[in-house]
Amino acid sequence: MRAVTYVKNDTVEIWDKPVPEIAPDEVLLKVGGAGLCHSDIAIINFGDDNPLIGSTLGHEVAGTVERIGADVSGWAEGDAALVALVLSCGQCRECLAGRDNQCEVVSPRGSLAPLSPGIGSPGGMADYIAVKAHHLDPIGDLDPVDAAPLADAALTPMHAINTVRDRLDADATVVTIGLGGLGHMALQILAATTGARIIALDTDDEKLAFAREHGADLALKSDGEAAARILEETRGVGADVVFDFVGVQPTVDLALAVVRVGGAIRFVGLGGGSFEYVANSGALPWGVNIERAYGGTRSDLRQAVALARQGKIGVEVVRYSLDDAVQAFDDLHHGKIQGRAVLVP
Ligand SMILES: [Zn+2]
Ligand SMILES: [Zn+2]
């Protein structure tokens, strides 16, 4: 079968690999779509001696059940399914408490990322993937091409939003920075599930136009004027919640500049920005709650799938044939994707 493989720094190739054998607790999924994420670009830039070299990429995977392991029940051939992002154990303290996105078995302290398809386990940018049955969720009549990006591009913002949901009442202002793969889903989830006033920011005019059509109350260019404008829009008080789906220095600075006293910031994007905490300075307002949000739980995923099935959120999909994976990586790297690129085998 074809498999998009990380072969050396900054390089992917389509290799021919055997169709995986399945264990008794696994199913073989015929991949219908595999989303391409900025973290895939980050992964292939970890150097020439990275342990992931040789592995098949792809952590946003949906498809149809092709073959079923001897011990698996509840799935039938042809069922459409989405693969969970975090391949959690299901048994540890964190999993049992519903925090399976930080499963202590597959996400040890100091690890780069929890075990996921395409990150330590063979990914879904291939014709087939073997998956433990308990890592699959049904998607009903959603097209696997549209559903695949839900596994991260909708899951991750859903999780970040759920961590601050009690703050997002109708009198609140939320700022969401970055309207790419995750950000365009965050905007739709905020619009569909909260009453808060939404201020969306990006540097790209087309993405701002998308935001105006999909629930943003105000769509602003993310530039040097943005912080002053947001403060003006909030009577100088600032925003209740800020989501940063970019994480470059200007967006980290912006998040800190506009969060209100007692507000919350969720840093999601991995753009390499930083901030210094100075204990006796007012740079960070009193009471601000900051979380470095990762992925989401199975419950968050169920909610994202439910919203998509109700037609309340939808991924802007840019389709590429699996054979054109190298081109898709290049286009994403150069900022040419509006929404989410999905590889279709
Ligand atoms: Zn991702
Ligand atoms: Zn666990």
Side-chain angles (χ1 to χ4, degrees):
M1 69 169 187
R2 297 166 295 170
V4 178
T5 304
Y6 167 25
V7 294
K8 62 178 183 187
N9 198 46
D10 205 17
T11 307
V12 293
E13 288 174 2
I14 298 167
W15 282 9
D16 188 37
K17 292 182 179 174
V19 173
E21 299 291 325
I22 53 167
D25 62 346
E26 291 182 329
V27 305
L28 185 70
L29 201 66
K30 183 175 170 33
V31 177
L36 175 51
C37 176
H38 271 287
S39 47
D40 292 308
I41 305 280
I43 288 166
I44 65 167
N45 279 287
F46 286 150
D48 285 327
D49 55 356
N50 188 277
L52 296 179
I53 282 182
S55 67
T56 305
L57 296 167
H59 55 268
E60 293 183 339
V61 194
T64 48
V65 173
E66 176 91 359
R67 204 179 307 147
I68 300 163
D71 296 347
V72 172
S73 58
W75 289 97
E77 224 174 275
D79 285 349
L82 182 63
V83 183
L85 177 68
V86 177
L87 302 178
S88 57
C89 80
Q91 303 293 328
C92 73
R93 187 190 76 172
E94 294 303 289
C95 282
L96 291 174
R99 298 185 294 262
D100 44 280
N101 62 321
Q102 48 202 50
C103 167
E104 60 187 48
V105 173
V106 304
S107 184
R109 202 178 147 71
S111 66
L112 173 76
L115 183 71
S116 295
I119 311 173
S121 180
M125 293 181 183
D127 289 300
Y128 296 95
I129 182 173
V131 188
K132 287 195 190 303
H134 74 89
H135 290 137
L136 288 178
D137 267 310
I139 55 172
D141 54 7
L142 283 179
D143 182 336
V145 175
D146 298 321
L150 298 174
D152 178 9
L155 169 82
T156 301
M158 175 63 83
H159 177 70
I161 291 165
N162 280 340
T163 67
V164 288
R165 186 164 292 287
D166 58 337
R167 297 165 180 267
L168 296 173
D169 62 40
D171 194 29
T173 297
V174 55
V175 168
T176 186
I177 309 169
L179 294 161
L182 273 64
H184 89 295
M185 299 309 295
L187 169 73
Q188 295 177 62
I189 294 166
L190 287 167
T193 66
T194 81
R197 180 166 65 133
I198 304 168
I199 303 179
L201 294 101
D202 201 284
T203 53
D204 181 277
D205 286 326
E206 269 182 59
K207 289 179 177 144
L208 292 173
F210 175 91
R212 289 184 193 103
E213 287 162 22
H214 289 82
D217 296 288
L218 186 61
L220 294 178
K221 200 96 168 174
S222 185
D223 60 16
E225 320 282 293
R229 180 71 196 279
I230 292 165
L231 291 174
E232 187 185 304
E233 287 287 334
T234 52
R235 302 172 286 107
V237 169
D240 294 270
V241 179
V242 184
F243 296 101
D244 181 2
F245 290 101
V246 187
V248 297
Q249 195 58 52
T251 63
V252 171
D253 291 342
L254 179 61
L256 292 163
V258 303
V259 69
R260 67 174 291 154
V261 170
I265 300 174
R266 294 294 176 262
F267 286 119
V268 181
L270 304 175
S274 64
F275 70 91
E276 189 185 13
Y277 171 64
V278 182
N280 65 348
S281 110
L284 188 66
W286 292 114
V288 169
N289 170 294
I290 296 179
E291 183 174 316
R292 184 182 185 221
Y294 186 83
T297 67
R298 292 296 289 277
S299 169
D300 298 319
L301 185 62
R302 293 271 171 105
Q303 294 170 51
V305 170
L307 283 178
R309 291 186 68 179
Q310 293 166 41
K312 291 177 179 166
I313 63 171
V315 181
E316 292 287 295
V317 168
V318 183
R319 288 176 182 239
Y320 286 85
S321 161
L322 183 67
D323 292 324
D324 297 328
V326 173
Q327 184 65 51
F329 270 76
D330 198 60
D331 287 351
L332 178 64
H333 190 55
H334 291 98
K336 292 181 189 164
I337 307 288
Q338 169 98 18
R340 198 59 145 181
V342 176
L343 306 179
V344 184

